[in-house]
């Protein structure tokens, strides 16, 4: 077997892909529980975006999102887990073209000991670095195991959505390569040592691009990794793509598979009309961020990856949903990504 099929098989079997595929089971449950299916859960954009988008009555949108942390991450790295719980929520807001307003948290711990204090210290550090206040939450310090979830509120003047990629668009990957691994986890940390002012200004690029009309579709790179995130974006939009693995920006010396399954603290997939690609790239590159065209959106609902002369089918969305539930229920059902 050549290297590319082995890479594709490893991605399909990865933990990040498995966690995202769990979403479809939740979608199917909701579809059964609501009288009119999940379509009854009305909002401005279908379920499947990084945030719920609720019209504010003045032409903009209130954004609402939540993230839960896996238990082994909290146990082994409580400070960075706390930090990440705020950071990833902030990314979700910016991925939708918004700006964050405030976060709340739900925390369980075994008393107010060292581990709980580390989680709280991490949350406080991220709150201060990104300038997003923690305004309340829920706590239970009589739990058998530590658990953490954080929710965020934001606002967008103009949305970036997972449902607006079109055939002919270029897929861009924007990422901060100025980081290091947070061992032993697949987390690329380009945040905790970066200047706070730079972190905030780098994220501000997303709403600026949306408001300038340069992009309509985007998603932040989650634990599904670069290709898993692209797959969610494509599925929501009812399209597919061909992605050139050699075009993906990555740090020097980092193995491709590890990078493709990594969660970068700053990373986004954008679907951009060809006439706007240069302008979008220029904005990211002007701030020292990598931004490369890594693929093209196609009408056929397949994600194909290529490397040199080789190509391989990573996922056939027409036959196998990724996050959207059973095919018979249709695209309009969306997901809970």
């Amino acid at each position: 077997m050549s290297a590319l099929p082995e890479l594709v098989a490893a991605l399909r079997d990865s933990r990040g892909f498995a966690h995202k595929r769990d979403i479809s089971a939740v979608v199917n449950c909701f579809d059964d529980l609501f009288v009119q299916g999940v379509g009854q859960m009305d909002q401005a954009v279908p379920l499947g975006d990084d945030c719920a988008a609720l019209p504010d009555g003045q032409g903009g949108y209130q954004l609402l999102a939540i993230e839960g942390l896996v238990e082994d991450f909290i146990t082994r790295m409580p400070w960075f887990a706390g930090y990440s719980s705020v950071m990833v929520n902030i990314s979700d807001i910016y991925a939708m073209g918004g700006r964050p307003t405030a976060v709340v948290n739900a925390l369980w711990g075994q008393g107010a000991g060292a581990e709980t204090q580390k989680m709280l210290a991490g949350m406080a550090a991220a709150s201060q670095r990104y300038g997003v206040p923690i305004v309340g939450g829920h706590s239970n310090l009589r739990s058998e195991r530590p658990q953490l979830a954080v929710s965020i509120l934001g606002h967008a003047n103009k949305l970036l959505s997972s449902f607006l990629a079109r055939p002919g668009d270029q897929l861009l990957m924007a990422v901060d390569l100025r980081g290091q691994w947070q061992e032993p986890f697949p987390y690329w940390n380009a945040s905790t040592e970066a200047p706070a002012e730079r972190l905030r200004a780098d994220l501000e690029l997303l709403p600026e691009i949306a408001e300038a009309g340069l992009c309509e579709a985007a998603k932040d790179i989650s634990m599904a990794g670069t290709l898993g995130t692209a797959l969610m974006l494509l599925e929501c939009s009812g399209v597919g793509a061909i992605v050139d693995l050699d075009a993906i920006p990555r740090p020097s010396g980092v193995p491709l598979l590890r990078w493709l399954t990594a969660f970068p603290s700053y990373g986004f997939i954008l679907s951009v009309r060809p006439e706007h690609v240069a302008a979008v790239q220029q904005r990211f590159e002007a701030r020292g961020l990598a931004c490369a065209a890594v693929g093209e959106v196609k009408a056929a609902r397949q994600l194909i990856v290529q490397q040199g002369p080789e190509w391989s089918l990573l996922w056939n969305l027409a036959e196998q949903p990724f996050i959207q539930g059973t095919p018979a229920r249709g695209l309009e059902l969306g997901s809970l990504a």
Side-chain angles (χ1 to χ4, degrees), residues 32-50:
D32 292 335
L33 292 168
F34 283 96
V35 175
Q36 300 172 18
V38 293
Q40 188 173 336
M41 301 167 66
D42 291 334
Q43 54 178 358
V45 292
L47 295 170
D49 260 314
D50 288 311

Side-chain angles (χ1 to χ4, degrees), residues 181-308:
W181 292 110
Q182 197 74 27
E183 301 288 2
F185 293 97
Y187 305 144
W188 181 254
N189 181 2
S191 177
T192 59
E193 301 299 323
E197 295 79 8
R198 190 183 84 194
L199 291 175
R200 300 180 193 184
D202 287 349
L203 287 167
E204 181 65 20
L205 290 173
L206 278 301
E208 288 178 353
I209 287 169
E211 291 163 7
L214 296 176
C215 180
E216 295 178 345
K219 206 164 189 67
D220 78 314
I221 299 176
S222 67
M223 286 304 300
T226 301
L227 295 178
T229 299
L231 193 54
M232 291 188 286
L233 172 64
L234 298 170
E235 183 176 24
C236 288
S237 293
V239 294
I242 298 176
V243 172
D244 182 359
L245 299 181
D246 292 330
I248 289 175
R250 59 175 159 140
S252 176
V254 172
L256 179 59
L257 178 59
R258 188 176 195 193
W259 185 241
L260 291 176
T261 56
F263 166 73
S265 48
Y266 183 101
F268 300 89
I269 299 293
L270 303 94
S271 187
V272 181
R273 314 288 181 253
E275 64 269 22
H276 296 316
V277 167
V280 171
Q281 286 181 300
Q282 189 279 327
R283 292 194 181 216
F284 285 102
E285 291 168 354
R287 295 203 50 80
L289 298 161
C291 184
V294 300
E296 183 177 349
V297 177
K298 301 291 187 179
R301 300 188 61 225
Q302 300 175 335
L303 178 52
I304 294 171
V305 293
Q306 64 180 45
Q307 192 172 36

Side-chain angles (χ1 to χ4, degrees), residues 71-82 107-123 141 145-148:
E71 188 175 327
D72 57 342
F73 182 31
I74 298 170
T75 302
R76 297 180 70 175
M77 288 187 171
W79 186 93
F80 192 61
L107 178 147
W108 291 261
Q110 296 174 312
E115 300 306 301
T116 297
Q117 291 181 31
K118 288 176 184 177
M119 280 193 284
L120 293 171
M123 285 188 281
L141 300 183
R145 298 186 305 275
Q147 301 286 343
L148 178 62

